[in-house]
Amino acid sequence: MTTTDLAPLEDEVRWFLTAGLPERAAIRRDPFPFFRRLRAADPVHRSAQGPWLVTSYEACNAMLRDERWEKARILRDVAATTGAGDGPAEGALAERIFLGSLVFKNPPDHTRLRRIVAPAFSVRAVGDRRERTRGIARRLLDDLRQRPSFDFRRDFASELPVRLICELIGVAPEARQDFLSWADTVRELQELGDRPAEALRLADRKAEDCRAFVADLVAEKRKAPGDDLVSLLIEASDADEAPLSPDELTAMLIILHVGGHSTTTDVIATGCFHLLTNPDAYRRLRQDPDLVGSAVEEMLRFDTAVTVATPRAAAVDVALGDRTIPAGEVVYAVVAAANHDPDQFDQPDRFDVERRDNRHLSFAAGRHFCLGAHLGRQEAVEAFRLLAGEHPELELATDPATVEWQDSLPHRGLQALPVAWRR
């Protein structure tokens, strides 16, 4: 594929990679036609901005499982951006606190951090919380039955995981707004491009607040440990040959909140949107609620909450598809595009709640496979089992074309989802 052939696509690539551009609105609303064009033209594509974009299933899957790829740093040296001069970069604290979790780490740090936290997210540990998940979901939906219309994203898809993750971590529900603000900062720091100096200073101030909050929480849990995640992490860390540092523990709790709340919110809200805009699929699920497991997997595949996996850099020159990625260059696996690759999925643009052999990449793969996959799946399954089996039909309370999507490179989700109970 020549540069001339790719020229019409390069503008779309720039829009896709750059937050805040007005031209990005069309891709934000429906990115899949763009993914289809890029995958057909150049499935391993070096963008004019620098990062490579990988859009085929085969190449994404191979990359995510290949240990020659390392997590790449994505926050620039803020001293260079803000003119801070000598001394510590102003953004160093925000990067350490918000991007210092195992999600952004390479071995051996990744291995050590995952070893400490993994037992809390095992299939057995998550299964023990199933009844609690179902109970919270049922109470939320019973309350919402008293209202003819509501914002499904805000009032249910967000409330269910935030209540569960606050319980799991061991923080009061009143703290959720602080966690949501810190989670937004994690997302903002993953965007490409220069950031205003004031935005970076604000990120640092949030990092200070976050670190102070966690320090107080840890002190409280050391005095009176419980069965919450903070207490378990403290115990596991103290017993480990390489215990967590205060900043590592803070980063761990923030990223668990991002994954346990923000991402799950988007999975449930976006999944509901596609059910309501695909009435045959919604009807089929209501006829047979036992399809809920395959329906949730299809929601995850069809419109994943994580558009691109966290960036990797080649540790050595690596062949990928028909290209060779030079050592040190940054690559994005566009898992949302891979999940619509017709070479892997039959009729990939069809929303099919009965789809079988649905090996999507929405939880990544390899050593960075999502730690919270079992928990996220369980929350979505319990939510849609109740919606399909115990409640009247929902319907959109707005034109689907007017629904607004978040402006984010790594994440995809709705701003709101107005719904009503069908009479």
Side-chain angles (χ1 to χ4, degrees):
M1 186 64 61
T2 67
T3 303
T4 302
D5 294 331
L6 288 170
L9 270 173
E10 196 55 55
D11 280 342
E12 290 185 275
V13 170
R14 178 170 58 85
W15 301 338
F16 172 65
L17 289 172
T18 310
L21 292 180
E23 299 90 342
R24 198 184 198 185
I27 293 177
R28 183 169 69 243
R29 186 168 53 251
D30 183 5
F32 299 104
F34 161 62
F35 293 156
R36 188 161 52 246
R37 290 191 291 273
L38 183 59
R39 186 176 54 244
D42 196 21
V44 181
H45 175 70
R46 192 183 194 284
S47 69
Q49 287 96 317
W52 294 74
L53 298 181
V54 182
T55 50
S56 75
Y57 184 94
E58 181 180 16
C60 281
N61 189 41
M63 175 186 163
L64 293 172
R65 296 176 186 279
D66 190 336
E67 297 192 358
R68 292 175 297 173
W69 295 93
E70 299 177 337
K71 289 297 182 90
R73 282 198 175 275
I74 51 179
L75 184 61
R76 294 185 178 193
D77 182 351
V78 183
T81 305
T82 63
D86 297 332
E90 289 183 38
L93 181 62
E95 181 178 26
R96 191 166 64 250
I97 296 299
F98 293 128
L99 302 180
S101 78
L102 77 169
V103 173
F104 303 100
K105 293 288 190 181
N106 298 307
D109 287 336
H110 173 267
T111 308
R112 175 178 63 89
L113 294 172
R114 192 171 182 114
R115 180 180 68 239
I116 292 172
V117 73
F121 290 90
S122 67
V123 174
R124 179 176 178 178
V126 169
D128 289 343
R129 303 188 66 82
R130 185 180 302 277
E131 288 300 323
R132 182 63 180 153
T133 302
R134 187 177 300 146
I136 293 175
R138 180 173 279 118
R139 282 196 298 277
L140 286 169
L141 288 171
D142 287 347
D143 289 345
L144 291 170
R145 282 287 292 114
Q146 310 309 310
R147 297 161 55 179
S149 61
F150 57 97
D151 179 351
F152 183 88
R153 186 186 193 281
R154 180 194 64 207
D155 299 328
F156 180 73
S158 178
E159 279 296 310
L160 174 61
V162 79
R163 293 188 188 193
L164 285 165
I165 200 64
C166 284
E167 281 189 9
L168 182 63
I169 291 176
V171 298
E174 298 78 51
R176 65 179 137 182
Q177 289 305 319
D178 288 328
F179 272 93
L180 290 174
S181 176
W182 298 330
D184 287 342
T185 303
V186 176
R187 293 186 176 209
E188 291 161 6
L189 291 175
Q190 294 179 67
E191 294 288 348
L192 295 180
D194 295 330
R195 300 167 181 83
E198 180 53 36
L200 292 163
R201 284 192 284 270
L202 176 60
D204 270 0
R205 290 196 292 273
K206 287 186 177 183
E208 288 279 13
D209 292 342
C210 178
R211 186 164 61 174
F213 178 92
V214 173
D216 290 343
L217 181 63
V218 169
E220 175 188 328
K221 298 298 181 183
R222 284 193 179 279
K223 291 179 182 177
D227 62 355
D228 55 85
L229 185 60
V230 176
S231 299
L232 295 175
L233 282 177
I234 292 170
E235 180 182 2
S237 175
D238 288 348
D240 198 84
E241 60 186 18
L244 296 170
S245 70
D247 283 352
E248 285 177 332
L249 180 56
T250 302
M252 184 79 77
L253 294 180
I254 289 299
I255 207 63
L256 291 175
H257 196 279
V258 171
H261 170 242
S262 302
T263 304
T264 307
T265 294
D266 291 333
V267 168
I268 296 173
T270 303
C272 184
F273 173 77
H274 288 298
L275 273 182
L276 301 187
T277 52
N278 289 272
D280 288 343
Y282 189 17
R283 189 176 307 113
R284 184 73 188 94
L285 182 59
R286 289 180 63 80
Q287 291 169 348
D288 185 3
D290 287 341
L291 288 174
V292 68
S294 63
V296 166
E297 293 306 309
E298 181 67 344
M299 293 170 190
L300 288 162
R301 180 200 71 84
F302 189 76
D303 206 350
T304 176
V306 179
T307 305
V308 299
T310 48
R312 269 75 165 170
V316 296
D317 291 356
V318 180
L320 194 62
D322 61 355
R323 301 298 183 92
T324 297
I325 312 298
E329 296 206 357
V330 174
V331 182
Y332 282 99
V334 188
V335 295
N339 285 345
H340 279 247
D341 189 339
D343 289 340
Q344 176 66 24
F345 301 99
D346 181 49
Q347 300 182 60
D349 298 327
R350 177 171 177 253
F351 183 71
D352 181 4
V353 296
E354 298 182 73
R355 187 179 294 275
R356 298 290 182 256
D357 193 27
N358 195 349
R359 290 178 288 180
H360 57 74
L361 298 176
S362 300
F363 291 123
R367 67 187 176 204
H368 282 283
F369 183 80
C370 178
L371 192 64
H374 300 310
L375 182 62
R377 278 187 169 113
Q378 179 171 286
E379 291 180 34
V381 163
E382 294 305 322
F384 286 105
R385 191 185 303 280
L386 291 172
L387 280 167
E390 298 187 13
H391 291 273
E393 278 190 78
L394 285 170
E395 60 185 0
L396 278 178
T398 187
D399 183 339
T402 66
V403 169
E404 292 290 329
W405 295 84
Q406 299 166 23
D407 186 15
S408 172
L409 169 64
H411 301 280
R412 177 164 169 79
L414 296 162
Q415 299 280 17
L417 185 61
V419 298
W421 299 108
R422 187 182 295 275
R423 291 186 180 274

